[in-house]
Amino acid sequence: MDFTVSLLLGTFLLSVAALFAFVWSMSTGLFGDGTAAATQIFAPNELGTVEDPAATAAQKGKLQQTMDADRRDRMSVADAEARSRADGSTSLVVGVCLTLAVVWLVLASLAGLISSIKLHAPDWWVQYDWLTFGRIRPIHLNLVAYGWCSLAGIGVAIWLIPRLLKTELVGARYALVGGALWSIGVLVGTVAIATGHSDGLEWLEFPWQIDILLVVGGGLVGFPLWLTLLQRKVEHLYVSVWYIGAGLLWFPILFLIANWPGLHFGVQQAAMNWWYGHNVLALWFTPIGLAAAYYFIPKVLGKPIYSYNLSLLGFWSLAFFYSQVGGHHLIGGPVPSWLITISIVQSVMMVIPVFAVAVNQHLTVLGNFRVLIHSPTLRFIVLGAMMYTATSVQGSLESLRTVNTVTHFTHYTVAHAHLGLYGFFSMVMFGSIYFIMPRVMNSEWPYPKLIALHFWLVLIGFAIYFIWLSIGGWLQGLAMLDEKTPFIRSVALTLPYLQARSIGGGLMTLGHLIFAAHFFAMGWKFGPKRLGAALLGPSLFSPRLAKGAVA
Amino acid sequence: MNAKANVWDMDELRLITGAMVILGGATGILVVMPYLLLQNVTPPAALKPYTNEQLVGRQSYIANGCVYCHSQQPRDTKQAPDAKRGWGRPTVAGDYAYDTPHLLGTMRTGPDLMNIGARQPSKDWHLGHLYQPRAYTPGSIMPSYPYLFEVRKGQPKPGETVVNLPPALAKPDEVVVAKPEALALVSYLLSLDRTYPALAGEKR
């Protein structure tokens, strides 16, 4: 017991010390604005120039006007050519990864919608074992997590690498093989769940034989980063590089330990399960989502992030605190109480990295909110960044014992999980893909109105989803805690909320179908050809480079 | 600007080292320490290992994703009225000595099942309930599992288990026969019984 107490005390003191160090560093001005590193993502003379390949010429004009109407400086032709080559070096591998991601997104959405409907229509489509709720729900989760989110994240991360290091990508073929292995793993793993061969652990359903594909694939997609780092032409590593580099290192290790056959047992396995379950968010999806947000927000605006030093403190504190929060999933469970207490403390400490990210991303946009009207990319990414703050603060509160006692075991947690992986991560990925694909395909999005339609459908759909499911989940939790209320009441009262969730989910799925149709229309060069190439904006280019890139 | 003066600035080596140290720390606390502390937990004498049929049923519980709606971890009465609902005393690590993979669960769309075998010991009830939950619990949103059963006209073959359905659901010229998977699943559910007292001295 002494050991437990001292461990607890140690963690607590460390956390408090970190908090004071943070406050001190804030007060001594260590986090003054921009250093050389913050402008690393721009070419010389590029600051003040907006960039959004997803925007139409008219939108681009208004975007530039909003940010800096008297823009005179131009980036040099040599720099523009270098960037063009850097973007070109990732085209194939990024195109493949993002295409696979979009396919997984459509399948995952359909699986999610079916699961949602089944919760209020329990006798619908029950004849087939592979469609039973207990299989289609984990299929949804795995397709979202390892299909859509992971492959979109990998594609976006690989695309960012040459941009961040100002050189061409080295070793793209490793990532291509890695992405292919990964996708095969997702496909076979999904079939395994559908046919009843799940490993039985949430987030870890794929059988371990299939997991090998994801470990090797996940390791391989990291190769180009390390190889390209050796060639880098930048002095500082921008904060996005840290997030991507750490994420690509962390995931294969997490997944390997979590799936090691025969290693974990009983209650220890439950602790491991949530160490993994929360770390796949903390150390895989969140780093890549934040890396993208940290690149695209300043890049679209043509203005460095508010405080570079703060972003770095945010990185380390995120890694430290977030990696230990998993135990809060087992509050009230048969695991050692010190473990749960540590996780609660660290969950609350998460306010530090969240504050760092929030200050940086929101203050960079602050005063320029009109850009959201003109930039399709930022509309998604800024919304995603706001959802990150919201889901993180909600997560910290939810880990407190009093709140958790109500929300644990209810749909409230499901709504919270979607706020993170959908509201934050998926939104950032949508925005990133809208920015990236024109550079990959060398053509503009054929139907800009569909981008707006996608945005409003998923925004309204998700708002319905989140708000109603959260309320339903909270009421469900209160009903379960009241011993005089029969259990079945806690089931019955959720029905209208579950139906609302299906409506919201239906709108989201519709938005994804439109997104996918638009994506493939672009891929097959279908639709009006207004422009040959959506490069860096006509005004930036020498006529030689801008062949066909003039509106 | 003098970049070297910035203590937070980074290179690849610091990134890799820092990332690995932090992951190592988190893994040490959440994975390795529970491993060391729990590896010598002895199963309570009253807890029997699962039989082969029960293990087959447990596999079916996993395959059909029961865990996504049912927890197996009653909470303390200080926290929640789980015991008053008849779900049993709060569990301790030893109760899960034979439970790998663990099935603690995270949802209570349906009730906790840690002691369902003690709470509802009728095999007929479980078989019928799997066939059509709403015939037993009006308002239930549990899926029905027709694929675990065979419905046909005429008489059952010798050795087959016929499901005794409530009169409202039974049809006179039809028999509903439980497939072996359904029988194994029910046998697992009936084995879920941790009503013996928690081991003295085992703390949570």
Side-chain angles (χ1 to χ4, degrees):
Chain A
M1 224 47 205
D2 288 344
F3 156 77
T4 307
V5 172
S6 51
L7 183 83
L8 212 56
L9 199 64
T11 323
F12 180 70
L13 289 178
L14 197 61
S15 304
V16 171
L19 185 63
F20 277 107
F22 176 68
V23 173
W24 169 80
S25 60
M26 290 294 283
S27 64
T28 52
L30 191 58
F31 297 103
D33 52 17
T35 67
T39 54
Q40 204 83 96
I41 57 172
F42 300 97
N45 291 331
E46 199 194 1
L47 273 176
T49 311
V50 299
E51 184 188 2
D52 188 356
T56 61
Q59 284 175 320
K60 226 170 282 182
K62 285 188 186 140
L63 190 60
Q64 184 63 60
Q65 232 167 7
T66 314
M67 290 309 295
D68 187 353
D70 309 319
R71 182 92 196 110
R72 292 281 180 273
D73 290 345
R74 299 278 179 264
M75 69 192 271
S76 71
V77 173
D79 285 332
E81 278 178 326
R83 180 174 295 165
S84 218
R85 279 196 305 276
D87 285 358
S89 68
T90 54
S91 288
L92 177 67
V93 57
V94 171
V96 168
C97 285
L98 294 183
T99 305
L100 290 167
V102 172
V103 173
W104 293 130
L105 171 71
V106 170
L107 294 174
S109 310
L110 294 174
L113 188 57
I114 294 171
S115 315
S116 175
I117 295 172
K118 275 173 170 276
L119 270 180
H120 52 80
D123 286 314
W124 179 61
W125 268 2
V126 287
Q127 279 306 328
Y128 312 102
D129 54 359
W130 67 275
L131 269 173
T132 194
F133 177 81
R135 294 193 192 179
I136 199 76
R137 179 205 180 280
I139 287 175
H140 164 66
L141 183 141
N142 282 278
L143 284 180
V144 166
Y146 303 115
W148 154 245
C149 289
S150 290
L151 276 157
I154 289 169
V156 169
I158 290 177
W159 187 84
L160 285 173
I161 291 168
R163 281 258 177 152
L164 295 164
L165 303 177
K166 289 192 178 156
T167 182
E168 286 165 52
L169 189 75
V170 184
R173 60 182 186 280
Y174 293 108
L176 209 52
V177 174
L181 286 180
W182 184 294
S183 251
I184 294 169
V186 173
L187 179 69
V188 183
T190 305
V191 172
I193 297 173
T195 52
H197 296 88
S198 160
D199 266 358
L201 305 190
E202 275 185 81
W203 290 92
L204 295 165
E205 283 92 347
F206 291 170
W208 66 266
Q209 295 88 341
I210 297 166
D211 295 329
I212 298 170
L213 292 171
L214 272 77
V215 172
V216 175
L220 281 175
V221 296
F223 270 43
L225 172 67
W226 309 111
L227 294 173
T228 311
L229 270 170
L230 297 173
Q231 308 283 326
R232 68 173 155 125
K233 295 199 176 72
V234 291
E235 192 190 341
H236 303 278
L237 294 183
Y238 186 66
V239 60
S240 297
V241 181
W242 299 25
Y243 276 117
I244 291 173
L248 288 172
L249 274 180
W250 279 326
F251 179 80
I253 299 175
L254 283 173
F255 204 64
L256 182 74
I257 297 176
N259 286 296
W260 197 271
L263 179 62
H264 307 289
F265 57 90
V267 169
Q268 179 272 337
Q269 195 179 33
M272 183 286 293
N273 197 170
W274 292 108
W275 159 85
Y276 175 81
H278 224 107
N279 274 343
V280 74
L281 303 170
L283 304 181
W284 176 232
F285 297 122
T286 304
I288 288 182
L290 291 181
Y294 266 125
Y295 179 79
F296 288 114
I297 292 178
K299 192 68 193 67
V300 171
L301 296 176
K303 152 186 179 191
I305 51 168
Y306 178 77
S307 161
Y308 188 74
N309 288 339
L310 193 56
S311 76
L312 303 191
L313 178 111
F315 172 81
W316 287 119
S317 52
L318 177 124
F320 183 78
F321 297 127
Y322 212 165
S323 59
Q324 300 175 19
V325 303
H328 69 218
H329 285 267
L330 293 164
I331 294 174
V335 288
S337 53
W338 57 262
L339 188 147
I340 289 171
T341 307
I342 286 178
S343 285
I344 296 174
V345 172
Q346 306 302 41
S347 302
V348 175
M349 296 305 287
M350 272 302 290
V351 297
I352 293 179
V354 169
F355 179 73
V357 170
V359 163
N360 245 329
Q361 304 198 332
H362 303 321
L363 288 189
T364 306
V365 185
L366 197 72
N368 300 310
F369 275 107
R370 287 176 58 82
V371 296
L372 299 190
I373 305 171
H374 308 309
S375 167
T377 298
L378 277 197
R379 214 180 288 166
F380 283 98
I381 293 185
V382 169
L383 181 74
M386 288 174 172
M387 295 298 128
Y388 174 71
T389 309
T391 193
S392 302
V393 172
Q394 189 191 24
S396 295
L397 292 174
E398 227 176 313
S399 74
L400 300 173
R401 274 177 212 272
T402 40
V403 182
N404 190 276
T405 298
V406 179
T407 62
H408 197 25
F409 300 129
T410 73
H411 296 294
Y412 187 91
T413 313
V414 179
H416 168 67
H418 282 78
L419 188 59
L421 214 49
Y422 193 83
F424 159 53
F425 187 82
S426 297
M427 289 291 180
V428 171
M429 288 298 115
F430 289 143
S432 306
I433 291 173
Y434 279 124
F435 188 104
I436 289 173
M437 281 313 286
R439 304 290 303 125
V440 167
M441 297 301 300
N442 264 325
S443 66
E444 280 206 326
W445 288 99
Y447 302 101
K449 286 208 169 76
L450 291 185
I451 303 181
L453 186 60
H454 171 204
F455 178 79
W456 289 110
L457 276 174
V458 298
L459 179 63
I460 295 169
F462 184 61
I464 296 174
Y465 181 112
F466 178 76
I467 293 169
W468 290 107
L469 199 61
S470 297
I471 297 173
W474 186 266
L475 296 176
Q476 179 194 10
L478 291 179
M480 274 199 274
L481 284 181
D482 178 15
E483 57 178 278
K484 290 185 198 73
T485 307
F487 180 80
I488 192 70
R489 246 328 273 156
S490 78
V491 177
L493 72 84
T494 57
L495 278 178
Y497 303 96
L498 294 174
Q499 285 156 356
R501 189 251 298 263
S502 289
I503 293 170
L507 291 177
M508 288 153 70
T509 305
L510 189 60
H512 300 160
L513 289 173
I514 287 166
F515 168 60
H518 198 191
F519 186 93
F520 285 106
M522 179 192 224
W524 285 314
K525 308 272 186 204
F526 186 78
K529 289 184 181 57
R530 291 186 320 282
L531 301 180
L535 293 177
L536 302 164
S539 61
L540 289 172
F541 271 88
S542 69
R544 183 167 54 87
L545 249 180
K547 269 186 296 217
V550 185
Chain B
M1 174 149 330
N2 181 3
K4 294 286 171 215
N6 185 350
V7 293
W8 297 99
D9 212 356
M10 285 292 285
D11 59 29
E12 294 85 339
L13 214 58
R14 285 168 80 182
L15 170 63
I16 294 173
T17 318
M20 289 301 108
V21 167
I22 284 177
L23 179 60
T27 310
I29 292 173
L30 295 180
V31 180
V32 179
M33 291 218 310
Y35 187 96
L36 297 175
L37 291 172
L38 294 168
Q39 62 179 343
N40 295 323
V41 168
T42 46
L47 182 66
K48 298 279 172 288
Y50 296 112
T51 65
N52 280 339
E53 193 191 21
Q54 286 161 359
L55 281 176
V56 173
R58 193 166 194 272
Q59 218 45 53
S60 174
Y61 187 97
I62 294 168
N64 293 299
C66 307
V67 71
Y68 299 106
C69 290
H70 295 284
S71 59
Q72 292 191 8
Q73 45 166 326
R75 290 183 283 186
D76 199 296
T77 33
K78 277 178 276 181
Q79 194 186 4
D82 293 4
K84 292 181 179 138
R85 294 195 188 280
W87 296 349
R89 63 167 170 82
T91 45
V92 293
D95 295 325
Y96 301 90
Y98 304 112
D99 283 15
T100 302
H102 84 91
L103 295 171
L104 263 63
T106 50
M107 270 301 266
R108 283 182 180 167
T109 306
D112 191 278
L113 296 182
M114 187 86 275
N115 290 292
I116 185 65
R119 188 159 85 242
Q120 182 47 272
S122 158
K123 181 177 163 186
D124 274 349
W125 186 93
H126 279 292
L127 284 173
H129 184 256
L130 284 172
Y131 181 71
Q132 180 44 274
R134 276 152 296 287
Y136 298 78
T137 313
S140 164
I141 57 171
M142 176 167 142
S144 43
Y145 293 90
Y147 59 84
L148 295 178
F149 301 87
E150 207 177 308
V151 184
R152 53 167 196 263
K153 310 270 179 211
Q155 294 303 305
K157 297 181 193 115
E160 283 185 333
T161 306
V162 174
V163 183
N164 297 315
L165 293 171
L169 206 63
K171 292 182 187 151
D173 54 343
E174 233 176 48
V175 286
V176 176
V177 176
K179 290 185 185 170
E181 195 186 348
L183 294 171
L185 178 56
V186 169
S187 133
Y188 167 66
L189 291 172
L190 293 177
S191 78
L192 289 175
D193 179 353
R194 269 81 168 173
T195 48
Y196 54 84
L199 281 189
E202 193 181 346
K203 291 243 170 70
R204 308 179 66 190

